[in-house]
Amino acid sequence: MADPDDRDLGDPSRRTYLAEERTLLAWWRSGLAALAVALAVGRLLPALLNDENTTGFVALGAGFVVVGVALIAMSAVGYRSVEHALAEGRFRSMPAAATWLITGALLVLAAGTLILLVIEW
């Protein structure tokens, strides 16, 4: 029986490319989740609260749509740039500005949702 340390696991770059594909799928899932939250905040919450004034909920829902679309678009751009970097033997991390922009947008939308729920409850 072969020792597990003696197995040939193939070229390590193959695993790196596959990890990057999993990262792309995770970004897509995050974008789709933001779109689902947009639907819930913009349509479902006003209906559950029987609220006639849906302007705030629709605005927050639109904000979540923008974040969801940005996440999906950024996933494609990030995937391609990391793929090129890997092909050249380099490493490319996500720009800090993108991290802070998405984090800030999500925090603002979360706070807005919380405030709107407290006011409307």
Side-chain angles (χ1 to χ4, degrees):
M1 184 166 177
D3 185 13
D5 293 332
D6 294 337
R7 291 180 296 175
D8 181 17
L9 297 176
D11 182 16
S13 64
R14 179 177 162 263
R15 291 191 305 273
T16 306
Y17 281 103
L18 292 173
E20 182 57 26
E21 286 181 9
R22 287 190 301 275
T23 302
L24 171 69
L25 295 173
W27 278 85
W28 283 352
R29 283 190 302 271
S30 297
L32 291 173
L35 296 176
V37 170
L39 184 62
V41 169
R43 291 288 187 173
L44 187 59
L45 278 177
L48 289 174
L49 296 172
N50 292 323
D51 194 356
E52 297 293 324
N53 184 8
T54 62
T55 306
F57 290 105
V58 171
L60 284 171
F64 279 108
V65 167
V66 170
V67 169
V69 169
L71 287 169
I72 293 168
M74 285 176 56
S75 69
V77 172
Y79 177 77
R80 296 300 301 166
S81 66
V82 170
E83 192 174 60
H84 288 302
L86 288 173
E88 296 171 358
R90 298 181 297 110
F91 174 77
R92 183 178 185 296
S93 62
M94 185 160 100
T99 304
W100 287 113
L101 183 66
I102 292 171
T103 301
L106 288 171
L107 288 173
V108 166
L109 290 169
T113 304
L114 179 63
I115 290 168
L116 200 55
L117 284 173
V118 169
I119 290 172
E120 296 297 326
W121 201 264

